[in-house]
Amino acid sequence: MLIKLWNWEKNWVCQQVFEGHTHYVMEVKVNPKDNNTFASASLDKTVKVWQLGSAQPNFTLEGHEKGVNCVDYYMGGDKPYLISGADDRMVKIWDYQNKTCVQTLEGHAQNIASVSFHPELPIILTGSEDGTVKIWHANTYRLETTLNYGLERVWSIGVLRGSNNVALGYDEGAILIKLGREEPAMSMDAGGKIIWAKHSELQQASLKALEKEEIQDGERLPLAVKDMGSCEVYPQTVQHNPNGRFVVVCGDGEYIIYTAMALRNKSFGSAQEFVWAADSSEYAVRESSSSIKLFKNFKERKSFKPEFGAENIFGGALLGVKSVSGLAFYDWETQELVRRIEIQPRAVYWSETGELCCIVTDESYFVLKYQPDAVAAAAENPEKITEDGIEDAFDVLGEVSETVKTGLWVGDCFIYTNSVNRLNYYVGGEIVTVSHLDRTMYLLGYIPQDNRLYLGDKELNVVSFQLLLSVLEYQTAVMRRDFDTADRVLPTVPKEQRTRVAHFLEKQGFKKQALAVSSDAEHKFDLAIQLGDLENAYNLAKESASEQKWKQLAELATSQAKFELAQQCLHEAQDHGGLLLLATAAGNADMVTKLGIQADQAGKHNVSFLSYFLLGDLERCLEILLASNRVPEAAFFARTYLPSEISRVVELWRVQLGKVNEKAGQSLADPKDYANLFPDYAASLQAQQMLAGERTKVIPAEDWKDIMANYERKPLEELNALADEEDLIDEPLDDKDHPIAGAVEEELEGGEPSKPEEEKLLDDELDELDFIGEPSKHEEVVTGITTEDLEAELEMDLDNLKLDDIDTTDVNLDDEELLED
């Protein structure tokens, strides 16, 4: 029954006690317009208003039949109102200046637990123990809607100044809901005058007084705000007509058209929605879900009922009507159906010329081109008109899977904000991002003289971003294939914007023009490569000195058979592999020789090895293997091609392997010590001398058909066939000193059977050696030492040695290093 005032700045001392209620006090609320007064609700059926400093109430409001549970003040400055809710299931609105009840709201089935005036919207919220929250219009007191979330009794309603969100507390939990429109009621005309609604007040600001040079992208503009007056309806939308002379305010099921300068009432009426036509003197209103009225010069001209009803209407070059069947476009003059499209739009935006139209849905948007000539032709030929209108009325130019928040056209460019707070524009199938926004913003308009785009947020802040008109005009001209205009506009495009324009041209397929326009060296090089422009690409590669660019240019030069240029590019790129391919494809031995030297100096052992191998310089190949620490590979290479070097390489291999395991190193067989393990070793030395002589001869490539392939030759068999001669002789040669295919075979016919092929012989030897030189079981006795003696000696050397236990981690026996380059 008592109300106590506590001072938290003085350690929560009780500063005053207010007495007067005769039952429990249920709620206290401080007057937001006078912090020295407050109201209290009590179960004694009264609402009392108190003054700080006085123990007695100023006055008492009586009218409820049962206990009062809740009370709240109206926050607006125009009405001195209180609201209260009681156990009599009534909600009462009080004028606390006149101390009278101005309205009683009925509808709840149980006790009223919470009431609230919304601080931003013209609504009253009431919550009851019947589990419902009712929303009432604050001016007409009409019940707008009832919310029931099935969470049992409602106990509290929370609102926040500056927000449309409402929190509701129930027996079973709490929820947060959003009421009203997020988009602010703002509009800007072509001259930069902005009108917006703040509660029921209309305010105006002008961009003309701003210093344009000082404007920073994304920064709030310091606008001088001027009050225009109060509006008779609560504005939900504010919209200028196309020429900016009039502005319409819609809300509470009504519209009022004012003059934009002085806010004089020009016309009014009832409307659920209002849209302007492209002609500033025409507009349409949707009175209900089935009726639309058209006006011209503020006089009603026509009223019609669309066949499938009207859920929403859209203005522009054609009148758009949304219904269950989709979107229907009607002619403003005749109200004839132009085209019906099976789509559920959220918004429709028309360009100033009426040629382009953007239809926005919940998940994507479509860009269409209107064909007035096709519509006019169909009017003369009714057979072309179907029940869905004229099929050729629109051409689809593009579809983008992106959610548009707000949009507008500048020329042929559609500028919009999307659901992830990006500011983009669409032109010719290309999407360009102007900026990433830090909050939800809504487009107001574009001022060509300023080259700036203006946006507002729900707190009525205005920001700006630079968007050059010259760039938009150039892109528009290109889209219209008006290249004369594009050429005139291009010099006005700043250099820092040229690359953006070039990317646009490239996407439109105009790569040659893009190359001429672009100022980015990387982009220009890519375009030159795509166009096959060797001269420009060469100059750009020379400027950048990029290895990758030289490689790309080499590929292009090769594809155009410019081999000298390709060779120069590969040299610049240090692409030894590419040079090797080019040199061998051209049969250029001098180039291969130089490449071998360069690759060797650069440490590219794989390329240098292959270069010398192709040239037949086997000795140099062996030295490269040894220099790159590929000793095992060198041993096998010597065994195959240079048997005279086996002993030297085996000795090096023994030293290397001995560092890991001494017994394993000593078990490697050397032909000078174990000649019996190397069958035909002496013959292979002779074959080496014979083949060395051949390698010094240069054979023209045109003779390849007359020369026996290396894999068909059997050098040891050739030596055996000539064994009756004491000295080494050359094999039969033709008049060009080339080995004659089949000559050895003819000589061997009827003679002794030929020995096994060289490859098979080498495999057999490796199998018999088993890596560390194990002797063959069928070896003949050599110099008085039998095969059995050698086996016994090796077995003693290998006593208790298990090769699996040998640690060879420090010995690299693979060829990865040869491949890494």
Side-chain angles (χ1 to χ4, degrees), residues 425 468-476 493-494 497 500-501:
Y425 70 84
L468 295 178
L469 179 64
S470 57
V471 174
L472 299 180
E473 287 180 342
Y474 184 86
Q475 292 174 327
T476 298
V493 177
Q497 296 291 328
R500 174 181 287 186
V501 171

Side-chain angles (χ1 to χ4, degrees), residues 203-271:
Q203 297 179 328
Q204 186 184 63
S206 178
L207 301 172
K208 290 183 178 179
L210 295 174
E211 292 292 336
K212 303 300 188 298
E213 293 77 13
E214 298 178 2
I215 296 178
Q216 298 295 320
D217 284 359
E219 295 294 324
R220 179 185 173 186
L221 301 181
L223 298 175
V225 180
K226 173 185 175 184
D227 288 326
M228 299 185 72
S230 180
C231 186
E232 289 89 336
V233 299
Y234 187 88
Q236 290 178 300
T237 62
V238 175
Q239 187 181 1
H240 280 91
N241 73 335
N243 64 20
R245 292 179 57 195
F246 299 100
V247 62
V248 63
V249 176
C250 290
D252 302 337
E254 298 181 17
Y255 74 90
I256 303 175
I257 299 175
Y258 296 99
T259 57
M261 293 294 293
L263 207 67
R264 288 195 299 269
N265 190 324
K266 189 70 178 177
S267 182
F268 63 91
S270 62

Side-chain angles (χ1 to χ4, degrees), residues 157-188:
I157 297 173
V159 295
L160 181 66
R161 183 180 289 275
S163 171
N164 288 359
N165 294 343
V166 176
L168 306 175
Y170 294 82
D171 278 333
E172 302 293 334
I175 62 172
L176 184 69
I177 62 174
K178 184 180 290 185
L179 300 175
R181 283 164 50 96
E182 277 295 303
E183 187 173 347
M186 303 177 72
S187 181
M188 185 178 82

Side-chain angles (χ1 to χ4, degrees), residues 114-353:
S114 183
V115 292
S116 177
F117 281 110
H118 197 283
E120 301 296 330
L121 302 173
I123 58 174
I124 297 168
L125 298 107
T126 61
S128 166
E129 292 180 30
D130 62 10
T132 66
V133 173
K134 292 185 181 294
I135 300 176
W136 316 76
H137 197 288
N139 297 326
T140 64
Y141 306 114
R142 180 179 67 245
L143 177 64
E144 298 290 344
T145 188
T146 299
L147 306 176
N148 190 341
Y149 294 101
L151 297 175
E152 299 300 330
R153 296 174 294 183
V154 182
W155 291 113
S156 62
I157 297 173
V159 295
L160 181 66
R161 183 180 289 275
S163 171
N164 288 359
N165 294 343
V166 176
L168 306 175
Y170 294 82
D171 278 333
E172 302 293 334
I175 62 172
L176 184 69
I177 62 174
K178 184 180 290 185
L179 300 175
R181 283 164 50 96
E182 277 295 303
E183 187 173 347
M186 303 177 72
S187 181
M188 185 178 82
D189 66 10
K193 289 182 180 178
I194 304 173
I195 294 177
W196 62 66
K198 191 170 185 179
H199 304 299
S200 295
E201 306 294 322
L202 292 180
Q203 297 179 328
Q204 186 184 63
S206 178
L207 301 172
K208 290 183 178 179
L210 295 174
E211 292 292 336
K212 303 300 188 298
E213 293 77 13
E214 298 178 2
I215 296 178
Q216 298 295 320
D217 284 359
E219 295 294 324
R220 179 185 173 186
L221 301 181
L223 298 175
V225 180
K226 173 185 175 184
D227 288 326
M228 299 185 72
S230 180
C231 186
E232 289 89 336
V233 299
Y234 187 88
Q236 290 178 300
T237 62
V238 175
Q239 187 181 1
H240 280 91
N241 73 335
N243 64 20
R245 292 179 57 195
F246 299 100
V247 62
V248 63
V249 176
C250 290
D252 302 337
E254 298 181 17
Y255 74 90
I256 303 175
I257 299 175
Y258 296 99
T259 57
M261 293 294 293
L263 207 67
R264 288 195 299 269
N265 190 324
K266 189 70 178 177
S267 182
F268 63 91
S270 62
Q272 300 298 318
E273 279 185 286
F274 181 104
V275 294
W276 293 103
D279 182 347
S280 296
S281 63
E282 289 187 83
Y283 59 89
V285 298
R286 181 176 68 88
E287 287 191 326
S288 66
S289 60
S290 60
S291 176
I292 296 174
K293 287 185 178 180
L294 304 181
F295 294 80
K296 188 173 180 68
N297 295 325
F298 309 106
K299 295 180 180 179
E300 182 179 340
R301 192 182 68 185
K302 182 76 174 178
S303 176
F304 79 105
K305 295 185 177 182
E307 182 180 356
F308 297 98
E311 295 178 5
N312 297 103
I313 58 175
F314 308 99
L318 297 175
L319 174 62
V321 179
K322 176 187 174 182
S323 66
V324 292
S325 67
L327 173 64
F329 285 110
Y330 294 91
D331 185 271
W332 282 94
E333 289 291 331
T334 64
Q335 294 83 51
E336 294 290 335
L337 176 66
V338 176
R339 188 76 172 95
R340 180 178 286 111
I341 305 171
E342 292 184 6
I343 193 172
Q344 292 298 314
R346 195 163 47 78
V348 176
Y349 301 96
W350 285 88
S351 64
E352 291 182 11
T353 61

